[in-house]
Amino acid sequence: MQSNGGRQTLCRAGSSLLRAALAPSSPAATSAAVRAYTSTSPLNERIVVAVGGNALQRRGERLTIENSLKAAADMAPTIAKLARDHELVLTHGNGPQVGELALERSAATFDVLGAESMGQIGYVLAQALSSVGCTTAPIICQVVVDPNDDAFRDPTKFVGPIYGAKEATALSQSLGWAMKPDGEYFRRVVPSPPPGEILQVSAIRTLLEQAPGVLPIACGGGGIPVSRIPSNPTTLTGVEAVIDKDRCGAKLANELDADGFIVLTDGGGIWQNFGKPDAREMKAATPEYLEGTKAGKNFPGSMGPKIQAAIDFVNGGEEGAWAAIGDLNDAAKIFGNDEGTLIKHDIGGDGHEGVIWRESRATFDSKPKQSKEPHKSG
């Protein structure tokens, strides 16, 4: 176990992820990490970690509280270890959960359903993390959105379970739901406007600075969508929408002056030629490369939004800000850039073209780690 002195030394040296990502000859590799915030915490970097709603739903199992508690118990040691080594904020998806709630209560609006799922998942995570010695503080977060955003004219956010074509048509006709294909199946879609103002961000920041032993769980499911009444801007009203949790997580990370933003999935990092014999995974890539190649736009499910969220955080962060996308089970290895994909402006090494490939994966791994089943992250 690392002593406090060792941990402080590690903090002065910068994170293992940044040291691994930067070329040894780079001056930045040995310079001290500079924080843009004050904190009493002796822990290493400030990091926002986003896990998908599917992390609480094992593939092939029904979405029940009992199964969610079991899945959370499996995930808890990984998150607790990150919280011990870093100043962490945890956010989570709610796609499967909020969709199930909508089935049970078709008359309820999505702002209310989002709040219910946030409380439900926050409780499940808090209980599981408490069992491994990690104290948490789930926070109900409201996020202001623009009710006139184009997202309300073209719903894109997948929520709830998958359906066959006939079942999807029947639900669309009987309940008025908008349905779109998700792989070979169909799922309900709702508007997903971009997050504007996170109203509880100061409370989250206070927890980080004054209670370093407490892990905030915040902006679950992208937060509760609300808007301001134009005639009285201090008055809020709920909005029928679901904000993308990765997009909101990236904004939260920027507003907290976080050093890093990690998106944990039930698959690997970013792949080229996904599902093909010549598939290969990116070890590191710059935002410019990802935007120029439109990486992730044709990926199944919600990989595209995850990539965009990572790009948004790095572009909006302080100098040296980094993001990473990788498998939940490989969380610890992501910090050494041994797994997943690192997104950063200066990737050093052989990244003169804006990307470094895991060539060994193409040689030893004939199948990408990402699941081919419909992606259910929320």
Side-chain angles (χ1 to χ4, degrees), residues 82-256:
L82 296 182
R84 286 194 297 270
D85 295 341
H86 304 276
E87 191 178 68
L88 204 69
V89 176
L90 179 64
T91 187
H92 59 80
N94 70 342
Q97 293 81 3
V98 78
E100 288 286 341
L101 287 172
L103 280 172
E104 296 170 6
R105 301 173 56 219
S106 58
T109 56
F110 265 94
D111 56 317
V112 173
L113 295 174
E116 290 181 4
S117 67
M118 194 184 301
Q120 171 187 312
I121 297 171
Y123 156 69
V124 168
L125 292 172
Q127 182 146 308
L129 287 162
S130 177
S131 298
V132 291
C134 183
T135 301
T136 63
I139 302 172
I140 299 295
C141 294
Q142 298 154 291
V143 179
V144 177
V145 300
D146 179 2
N148 297 313
D149 189 86
D150 289 342
F152 291 94
R153 288 184 282 275
D154 181 23
T156 58
K157 177 65 177 176
F158 289 118
V159 296
I162 58 175
Y163 302 101
K166 291 183 178 179
E167 193 176 11
T169 300
L171 286 169
S172 179
Q173 292 175 347
S174 62
L175 298 176
W177 289 0
M179 309 291 287
K180 287 187 177 181
D182 184 11
E184 59 185 292
Y185 299 95
F186 289 82
R187 292 177 73 191
R188 184 183 181 183
V189 289
V190 297
S192 184
E197 179 186 1
I198 300 173
L199 297 183
Q200 283 72 28
V201 70
S202 60
I204 300 166
R205 186 181 293 110
T206 297
L207 265 177
L208 288 172
E209 295 174 355
Q210 304 302 324
V214 177
L215 168 62
I217 302 175
C219 292
I224 303 166
V226 298
S227 65
R228 297 188 183 278
I229 302 296
S231 59
N232 186 8
T234 60
T235 301
L236 302 171
T237 184
V239 176
E240 184 84 313
V242 174
I243 302 168
D244 182 77
K245 75 99 175 33
D246 296 310
R247 206 167 180 181
C248 189
K251 182 171 182 60
L252 175 64
N254 283 138
E255 293 198 7
L256 292 174

Side-chain angles (χ1 to χ4, degrees), residues 50-107:
V51 296
N54 60 308
L56 299 178
Q57 181 186 17
R58 295 189 183 99
R59 292 190 181 276
E61 289 189 354
R62 293 180 60 242
L63 183 59
T64 65
I65 294 297
E66 181 181 10
N67 286 339
S68 293
L69 286 167
K70 290 178 181 177
D74 289 342
M75 177 178 66
T78 297
I79 300 300
K81 183 180 188 305
L82 296 182
R84 286 194 297 270
D85 295 341
H86 304 276
E87 191 178 68
L88 204 69
V89 176
L90 179 64
T91 187
H92 59 80
N94 70 342
Q97 293 81 3
V98 78
E100 288 286 341
L101 287 172
L103 280 172
E104 296 170 6
R105 301 173 56 219
S106 58

